[in-house]
Coordinates of all heavy atoms in Angstrom, one line a residue:
M1 N 0.9 -1.1 0.0 CA 0.0 0.0 0.0 C 0.9 1.2 0.0 O 1.8 1.3 0.8 CB -0.9 -0.1 1.2 CG -1.9 1.1 1.3 SD -3.0 0.9 2.7 CE -4.2 -0.2 2.1
A2 N 0.6 2.1 -0.9 CA 1.4 3.3 -1.0 C 1.2 4.3 0.2 O 0.1 4.2 0.8 CB 1.0 4.1 -2.3
R3 N 2.1 5.2 0.4 CA 2.0 6.1 1.6 C 0.7 6.9 1.6 O 0.1 7.1 2.6 CB 3.2 7.0 1.6 CG 3.2 7.9 2.8 CD 4.5 8.7 2.9 NE 4.6 9.5 4.0 CZ 5.1 9.1 5.2 NH1 5.5 7.9 5.3 NH2 5.2 9.9 6.3
D4 N 0.3 7.3 0.4 CA -0.9 8.2 0.3 C -2.2 7.4 0.4 O -3.2 7.9 0.6 CB -0.9 8.9 -1.1 CG 0.2 9.9 -1.2 OD1 0.7 10.4 -0.2 OD2 0.7 10.2 -2.4
E5 N -2.0 6.0 0.4 CA -3.2 5.2 0.5 C -3.4 4.6 1.9 O -4.2 3.6 2.1 CB -3.1 4.1 -0.5 CG -3.1 4.6 -2.0 CD -2.8 3.5 -2.9 OE1 -2.7 2.4 -2.6 OE2 -2.7 3.8 -4.2
Q6 N -2.7 5.1 2.9 CA -2.8 4.4 4.2 C -4.2 4.7 4.8 O -4.6 5.8 5.0 CB -1.8 5.1 5.1 CG -0.3 4.7 4.7 CD 0.7 5.4 5.5 OE1 0.4 6.4 6.3 NE2 1.9 5.0 5.5
A7 N -4.8 3.6 5.1 CA -6.2 3.7 5.7 C -6.2 4.2 7.1 O -7.2 4.8 7.5 CB -6.8 2.3 5.6
W8 N -5.2 4.1 7.8 CA -5.1 4.4 9.2 C -4.7 5.9 9.5 O -4.9 6.5 10.5 CB -4.2 3.5 10.0 CG -2.8 3.5 9.5 CD1 -2.4 2.5 8.5 CD2 -1.7 4.3 9.7 NE1 -1.1 2.8 8.2 CE2 -0.7 3.9 8.9 CE3 -1.5 5.4 10.5 CZ2 0.6 4.5 9.0 CZ3 -0.3 6.0 10.5 CH2 0.8 5.5 9.7
A9 N -4.3 6.6 8.4 CA -3.9 7.9 8.5 C -4.7 8.8 7.5 O -4.8 8.4 6.4 CB -2.4 8.2 8.3
K10 N -5.3 9.9 8.0 CA -6.0 10.8 7.1 C -5.4 12.2 7.1 O -4.9 12.7 8.1 CB -7.4 11.0 7.6 CG -8.1 9.6 7.7 CD -9.3 9.5 6.8 CE -10.1 8.2 7.1 NZ -9.9 7.2 6.1
C11 N -5.3 12.8 6.0 CA -4.8 14.2 5.8 C -6.0 15.1 6.1 O -7.1 14.9 5.6 CB -4.2 14.5 4.4 SG -2.7 13.6 4.2
I12 N -5.7 16.1 6.9 CA -6.8 17.1 7.2 C -6.5 18.4 6.7 O -5.4 19.0 7.0 CB -7.0 17.2 8.8 CG1 -7.4 15.7 9.2 CG2 -8.0 18.1 9.2 CD1 -7.4 15.6 10.8
G13 N -7.4 19.0 5.9 CA -7.1 20.4 5.4 C -7.6 21.3 6.6 O -8.4 21.1 7.4
V14 N -6.9 22.5 6.7 CA -7.2 23.5 7.6 C -7.5 24.8 6.9 O -6.6 25.3 6.1 CB -6.0 23.7 8.6 CG1 -6.3 24.8 9.6 CG2 -5.7 22.3 9.3
N15 N -8.6 25.4 7.1 CA -9.1 26.7 6.5 C -8.9 26.6 5.0 O -8.5 27.5 4.3 CB -8.2 27.8 7.0 CG -8.4 28.1 8.5 OD1 -9.5 27.8 9.0 ND2 -7.5 28.6 9.2
G16 N -9.3 25.4 4.5 CA -9.3 25.2 3.0 C -7.9 24.9 2.5 O -7.8 24.7 1.2
I17 N -6.9 24.7 3.3 CA -5.6 24.4 2.8 C -5.2 23.0 3.1 O -5.2 22.5 4.3 CB -4.5 25.3 3.5 CG1 -4.8 26.7 3.2 CG2 -3.1 25.0 3.0 CD1 -4.0 27.7 4.0
E18 N -5.1 22.2 2.1 CA -4.7 20.8 2.2 C -3.2 20.6 2.4 O -2.5 21.3 1.8 CB -5.2 19.9 0.9 CG -6.7 20.0 0.7 CD -7.4 19.3 1.8 OE1 -7.0 18.2 2.2 OE2 -8.5 19.8 2.1
P19 N -2.8 19.6 3.2 CA -1.3 19.4 3.4 C -0.8 18.7 2.1 O -1.3 17.8 1.6 CB -1.4 18.5 4.6 CG -2.6 17.7 4.6 CD -3.6 18.7 4.0
S20 N 0.2 19.4 1.6 CA 1.0 18.7 0.5 C 2.4 19.2 0.5 O 2.8 20.0 1.4 CB 0.4 19.3 -0.8 OG 0.7 20.7 -0.9
K21 N 3.3 18.6 -0.1 CA 4.7 19.0 -0.1 C 4.8 20.5 -0.4 O 5.6 21.2 0.2 CB 5.5 18.1 -1.1 CG 5.6 16.8 -0.5 CD 6.5 15.8 -1.3 CE 6.5 14.5 -0.6 NZ 7.1 13.5 -1.4
S22 N 4.0 21.0 -1.3 CA 4.1 22.4 -1.7 C 3.6 23.3 -0.6 O 4.3 24.3 -0.2 CB 3.2 22.7 -2.9 OG 3.1 24.0 -3.2
T23 N 2.4 23.1 0.0 CA 1.9 23.9 1.1 C 2.8 23.8 2.4 O 2.8 24.6 3.2 CB 0.4 23.5 1.4 OG1 0.3 22.2 1.9 CG2 -0.4 23.9 0.3
I24 N 3.4 22.6 2.6 CA 4.3 22.5 3.8 C 5.6 23.2 3.5 O 6.0 24.0 4.3 CB 4.6 21.0 4.0 CG1 3.4 20.3 4.5 CG2 5.8 20.8 5.0 CD1 3.4 18.8 4.6
S25 N 6.1 23.2 2.3 CA 7.4 23.8 1.9 C 7.2 25.3 2.0 O 8.1 26.0 2.4 CB 7.8 23.5 0.5 OG 8.3 22.2 0.5
N26 N 6.1 25.9 1.5 CA 5.9 27.4 1.5 C 5.2 27.9 2.8 O 4.8 29.0 2.9 CB 5.2 27.8 0.3 CG 3.8 27.4 0.2 OD1 3.1 27.0 1.2 ND2 3.2 27.3 -1.0
N27 N 5.0 27.0 3.8 CA 4.5 27.4 5.1 C 3.1 27.8 5.1 O 2.6 28.6 6.0 CB 5.4 28.4 5.8 CG 6.8 27.8 6.1 OD1 6.9 26.7 6.6 ND2 7.8 28.6 5.9
T28 N 2.2 27.5 4.0 CA 0.8 27.9 4.1 C 0.0 26.9 4.8 O -1.0 27.3 5.3 CB 0.3 28.1 2.7 OG1 0.5 26.9 1.9 CG2 1.0 29.3 1.9
Y29 N 0.5 25.6 4.9 CA -0.3 24.6 5.8 C 0.2 24.9 7.2 O 1.4 24.9 7.5 CB 0.0 23.2 5.3 CG -0.8 22.3 6.1 CD1 -2.2 22.1 5.9 CD2 -0.3 21.4 7.1 CE1 -3.0 21.3 6.6 CE2 -1.1 20.5 7.8 CZ -2.4 20.5 7.6 OH -3.2 19.6 8.2
P30 N -0.7 25.2 8.1 CA -0.3 25.6 9.4 C 0.2 24.6 10.4 O 0.9 25.0 11.4 CB -1.6 26.3 10.0 CG -2.7 25.5 9.3 CD -2.2 25.2 7.9
Y31 N -0.1 23.4 10.2 CA 0.4 22.3 11.2 C 1.5 21.5 10.7 O 1.2 20.5 9.9 CB -0.8 21.5 11.6 CG -1.9 22.3 12.3 CD1 -3.1 22.5 11.8 CD2 -1.6 23.0 13.5 CE1 -4.1 23.3 12.4 CE2 -2.5 23.7 14.2 CZ -3.8 23.8 13.6 OH -4.8 24.6 14.2
V32 N 2.7 21.9 11.0 CA 3.9 21.2 10.5 C 4.8 21.0 11.7 O 5.0 21.9 12.5 CB 4.7 22.1 9.4 CG1 5.9 21.4 8.9 CG2 3.7 22.3 8.2
S33 N 5.4 19.8 11.7 CA 6.4 19.6 12.7 C 7.7 19.5 12.2 O 7.9 18.8 11.1 CB 6.1 18.3 13.6 OG 6.1 17.2 12.7
E34 N 8.6 20.3 12.6 CA 10.0 20.3 12.0 C 10.9 19.3 12.8 O 10.7 19.1 14.0 CB 10.5 21.7 12.1 CG 9.7 22.7 11.3 CD 10.3 24.0 11.1 OE1 11.5 24.2 11.5 OE2 9.6 24.9 10.7
I35 N 11.8 18.7 12.1 CA 12.7 17.7 12.7 C 14.1 18.3 12.5 O 14.5 18.7 11.5 CB 12.6 16.4 12.0 CG1 11.1 15.8 12.1 CG2 13.6 15.4 12.6 CD1 10.8 14.6 11.4
Y36 N 14.8 18.3 13.6 CA 16.2 18.9 13.6 C 17.2 17.8 14.0 O 16.9 16.9 14.7 CB 16.3 19.9 14.7 CG 15.4 21.2 14.5 CD1 14.1 21.2 15.0 CD2 15.8 22.2 13.7 CE1 13.2 22.3 14.7 CE2 15.0 23.3 13.3 CZ 13.8 23.3 13.9 OH 12.9 24.4 13.6
A37 N 18.3 18.0 13.5 CA 19.5 17.2 13.9 C 20.5 18.1 14.5 O 20.9 19.1 13.9 CB 20.1 16.5 12.6
A38 N 20.9 17.8 15.7 CA 21.9 18.7 16.4 C 23.1 17.8 16.9 O 22.8 16.6 17.3 CB 21.2 19.3 17.6
L39 N 24.2 18.3 16.7 CA 25.4 17.6 17.1 C 26.2 18.4 18.1 O 26.3 19.7 18.0 CB 26.3 17.3 15.9 CG 25.6 16.4 14.9 CD1 26.5 16.4 13.6 CD2 25.4 15.0 15.4
R40 N 26.8 17.9 19.0 CA 27.7 18.6 20.0 C 28.9 19.1 19.1 O 29.4 18.4 18.2 CB 28.1 17.7 21.1 CG 27.0 17.4 22.0 CD 27.4 16.3 23.0 NE 28.8 16.5 23.5 CZ 29.2 16.1 24.7 NH1 28.4 15.6 25.5 NH2 30.4 16.3 25.1
S41 N 29.4 20.3 19.5 CA 30.6 20.7 18.8 C 31.9 19.9 19.0 O 32.8 19.9 18.2 CB 30.8 22.2 19.3 OG 31.2 22.2 20.7
D42 N 31.9 19.1 20.1 CA 33.1 18.3 20.4 C 32.9 16.8 19.9 O 33.7 16.0 20.3 CB 33.5 18.4 21.9 CG 32.3 17.8 22.7 OD1 31.2 17.6 22.3 OD2 32.6 17.6 23.9
I43 N 31.9 16.6 19.1 CA 31.7 15.2 18.7 C 32.8 14.8 17.7 O 33.3 15.5 17.0 CB 30.3 15.1 17.9 CG1 29.9 13.5 17.8 CG2 30.4 15.8 16.6 CD1 28.5 13.4 17.3
D44 N 33.1 13.5 17.9 CA 34.2 12.8 17.1 C 33.6 12.7 15.7 O 32.6 12.2 15.5 CB 34.4 11.5 17.7 CG 35.6 10.7 17.0 OD1 36.1 11.2 15.9 OD2 35.9 9.6 17.5
K45 N 34.4 13.3 14.7 CA 34.0 13.3 13.3 C 33.9 11.9 12.7 O 33.3 11.7 11.7 CB 35.0 14.2 12.6 CG 35.1 15.6 13.0 CD 34.0 16.4 12.6 CE 34.3 17.9 12.8 NZ 33.4 18.6 13.7
S46 N 34.5 10.9 13.4 CA 34.4 9.6 13.0 C 33.3 8.8 13.6 O 33.0 7.6 13.2 CB 35.7 8.8 13.2 OG 35.9 8.7 14.6
S47 N 32.5 9.4 14.4 CA 31.3 8.7 15.1 C 30.2 8.5 14.1 O 30.0 9.2 13.0 CB 30.8 9.6 16.2 OG 30.2 10.7 15.8
N48 N 29.4 7.5 14.4 CA 28.3 7.2 13.5 C 27.2 8.3 13.5 O 26.7 8.6 12.4 CB 27.6 5.9 14.0 CG 28.4 4.7 13.7 OD1 29.2 4.7 12.8 ND2 28.2 3.6 14.4
A49 N 27.1 9.0 14.6 CA 26.2 10.1 14.6 C 26.5 11.3 13.7 O 25.7 11.8 12.9 CB 26.1 10.8 16.0
Y50 N 27.9 11.6 13.6 CA 28.4 12.6 12.7 C 28.3 12.1 11.3 O 27.9 12.9 10.4 CB 29.8 13.0 13.0 CG 30.2 14.2 12.3 CD1 29.9 15.5 12.8 CD2 30.9 14.1 11.1 CE1 30.3 16.6 12.1 CE2 31.4 15.2 10.5 CZ 31.0 16.5 10.9 OH 31.4 17.6 10.2
K51 N 28.6 10.9 11.0 CA 28.5 10.3 9.7 C 27.1 10.4 9.2 O 26.8 10.7 8.0 CB 29.1 8.9 9.7 CG 30.6 8.9 9.8 CD 31.1 7.4 9.8 CE 32.5 7.4 10.0 NZ 33.0 6.0 10.2
L52 N 26.1 10.0 10.0 CA 24.7 10.1 9.7 C 24.3 11.5 9.3 O 23.6 11.8 8.3 CB 23.8 9.6 10.7 CG 22.3 9.7 10.5 CD1 21.9 8.9 9.3 CD2 21.5 9.2 11.7
F53 N 24.7 12.5 10.1 CA 24.4 13.9 9.8 C 25.0 14.3 8.5 O 24.3 15.0 7.7 CB 25.0 14.8 11.0 CG 24.9 16.2 10.7 CD1 23.7 16.9 10.8 CD2 26.0 16.9 10.4 CE1 23.6 18.3 10.5 CE2 26.0 18.3 10.0 CZ 24.7 19.0 10.1
E54 N 26.3 14.0 8.3 CA 26.9 14.4 7.0 C 26.1 13.8 5.8 O 26.0 14.4 4.8 CB 28.3 13.9 7.0 CG 29.2 14.8 7.7 CD 30.7 14.5 7.4 OE1 31.0 13.3 7.4 OE2 31.5 15.4 7.3
Y55 N 25.7 12.6 5.9 CA 25.0 12.0 4.9 C 23.6 12.5 4.7 O 23.2 12.9 3.5 CB 24.7 10.3 5.2 CG 23.8 9.8 4.2 CD1 24.3 9.5 2.8 CD2 22.5 9.4 4.5 CE1 23.4 8.9 1.9 CE2 21.7 8.9 3.5 CZ 22.1 8.7 2.3 OH 21.3 8.1 1.4
L56 N 22.9 12.9 5.7 CA 21.6 13.5 5.6 C 21.6 14.8 4.8 O 20.6 15.2 4.2 CB 20.9 13.6 6.9 CG 20.4 12.3 7.5 CD1 19.9 12.5 9.0 CD2 19.4 11.6 6.7
I57 N 22.6 15.6 4.9 CA 22.7 16.9 4.3 C 23.2 16.7 2.9 O 23.3 17.8 2.2 CB 23.4 17.9 5.1 CG1 24.9 17.5 5.3 CG2 22.7 18.2 6.4 CD1 25.7 18.6 6.0
T58 N 23.5 15.6 2.4 CA 24.0 15.5 1.0 C 22.8 15.3 0.1 O 21.6 15.1 0.6 CB 24.9 14.2 0.8 OG1 24.1 13.0 1.0 CG2 26.1 14.2 1.7
A59 N 23.0 15.4 -1.2 CA 21.9 15.2 -2.2 C 21.3 13.9 -2.1 O 20.1 13.7 -2.1 CB 22.4 15.5 -3.6
S60 N 22.1 12.9 -1.8 CA 21.6 11.5 -1.8 C 20.8 11.4 -0.4 O 19.8 10.7 -0.5 CB 22.8 10.5 -1.7 OG 22.4 9.2 -1.6
G61 N 21.3 11.9 0.7 CA 20.6 11.9 1.9 C 19.3 12.6 1.8 O 18.2 12.1 2.4
Q62 N 19.2 13.7 1.2 CA 18.0 14.5 1.0 C 17.0 13.7 0.1 O 15.8 13.8 0.3 CB 18.2 15.9 0.4 CG 18.8 16.7 1.4 CD 18.0 17.0 2.6 OE1 17.0 17.6 2.5 NE2 18.4 16.4 3.8
K63 N 17.5 12.9 -0.8 CA 16.6 12.0 -1.6 C 15.9 11.0 -0.7 O 14.7 10.7 -0.9 CB 17.4 11.3 -2.8 CG 16.6 10.4 -3.6 CD 17.5 9.8 -4.7 CE 16.6 8.9 -5.5 NZ 17.4 8.0 -6.4
V64 N 16.6 10.5 0.2 CA 16.0 9.5 1.1 C 15.0 10.2 2.0 O 13.9 9.6 2.3 CB 17.2 8.8 2.0 CG1 16.6 8.0 3.2 CG2 18.1 8.0 1.2
V65 N 15.3 11.4 2.5 CA 14.4 12.2 3.2 C 13.0 12.4 2.5 O 12.0 12.1 3.0 CB 15.0 13.5 3.7 CG1 13.9 14.5 4.2 CG2 16.2 13.4 4.6
K66 N 13.2 12.7 1.2 CA 12.0 12.9 0.3 C 11.3 11.7 0.2 O 10.0 11.6 0.2 CB 12.5 13.6 -1.0 CG 11.4 13.8 -1.9 CD 11.8 14.5 -3.2 CE 10.7 14.9 -4.1 NZ 11.2 15.6 -5.3
E67 N 12.0 10.5 -0.2 CA 11.4 9.3 -0.4 C 10.6 8.8 0.9 O 9.7 8.0 0.8 CB 12.4 8.2 -0.8 CG 12.9 8.5 -2.2 CD 14.1 7.5 -2.6 OE1 14.6 6.9 -1.7 OE2 14.4 7.6 -3.8
S68 N 11.1 9.2 2.1 CA 10.4 8.8 3.4 C 9.2 9.7 3.6 O 8.6 9.4 4.7 CB 11.5 9.0 4.4 OG 12.5 8.2 4.3
G69 N 8.9 10.6 2.7 CA 7.6 11.4 2.9 C 7.8 12.8 3.6 O 6.9 13.4 3.8
Y70 N 9.1 13.1 3.9 CA 9.4 14.4 4.5 C 9.8 15.4 3.4 O 10.1 15.0 2.3 CB 10.5 14.2 5.5 CG 10.1 13.4 6.7 CD1 10.4 12.1 6.7 CD2 9.4 14.0 7.7 CE1 10.0 11.3 7.8 CE2 9.0 13.2 8.8 CZ 9.3 11.9 8.9 OH 9.0 11.1 9.9
V71 N 9.7 16.7 3.7 CA 10.2 17.7 2.8 C 11.6 18.0 2.9 O 12.1 18.3 4.1 CB 9.4 19.0 3.0 CG1 9.8 20.1 2.1 CG2 7.8 18.7 2.9
P72 N 12.4 17.8 2.0 CA 13.9 18.0 2.1 C 14.2 19.4 2.4 O 13.5 20.4 2.1 CB 14.5 17.5 0.8 CG 13.4 17.2 -0.1 CD 12.1 17.3 0.7
I73 N 15.4 19.6 3.1 CA 15.9 21.0 3.4 C 16.1 21.9 2.2 O 15.9 23.1 2.2 CB 17.1 21.0 4.3 CG1 18.3 20.3 3.6 CG2 16.8 20.5 5.6 CD1 19.6 20.4 4.4
D74 N 16.4 21.3 1.0 CA 16.6 22.1 -0.2 C 15.3 22.9 -0.5 O 15.4 23.9 -1.1 CB 17.0 21.3 -1.3 CG 18.4 20.7 -1.2 OD1 19.2 21.3 -0.4 OD2 18.8 19.7 -1.8
N75 N 14.1 22.3 -0.2 CA 12.9 22.9 -0.5 C 12.5 24.1 0.5 O 11.6 24.8 0.3 CB 11.7 22.0 -0.5 CG 11.8 21.0 -1.7 OD1 12.5 21.3 -2.7 ND2 11.2 19.9 -1.7
Q76 N 13.3 24.1 1.6 CA 13.0 25.1 2.7 C 13.8 26.4 2.4 O 13.5 27.4 3.1 CB 13.4 24.5 4.0 CG 12.6 23.3 4.3 CD 11.1 23.7 4.6 OE1 10.8 24.7 5.2 NE2 10.2 22.8 4.2
R77 N 14.7 26.4 1.5 CA 15.6 27.6 1.3 C 14.9 28.5 0.4 O 14.2 28.3 -0.5 CB 16.9 27.2 0.8 CG 17.7 26.4 1.8 CD 19.0 26.0 1.4 NE 19.6 25.2 2.4 CZ 20.6 24.3 2.3 NH1 21.1 24.3 1.0 NH2 21.1 23.7 3.2

């Protein structure tokens, strides 16, 4: 079953604005939760946490973000 066809989850429009990648990206849909990645400044650059962060901000990582149903950071700029 495709993500858009999930029977247990329903998209709800607010004030006539339906949630979509476009309305989420341009901040017209009012209910959005942002996800942040934060790293300590003294983190070991060879740690898995740092490697994951580095990957997530690459084009390939942002493709995975998009495929997972989230809006990539490139669309936020």
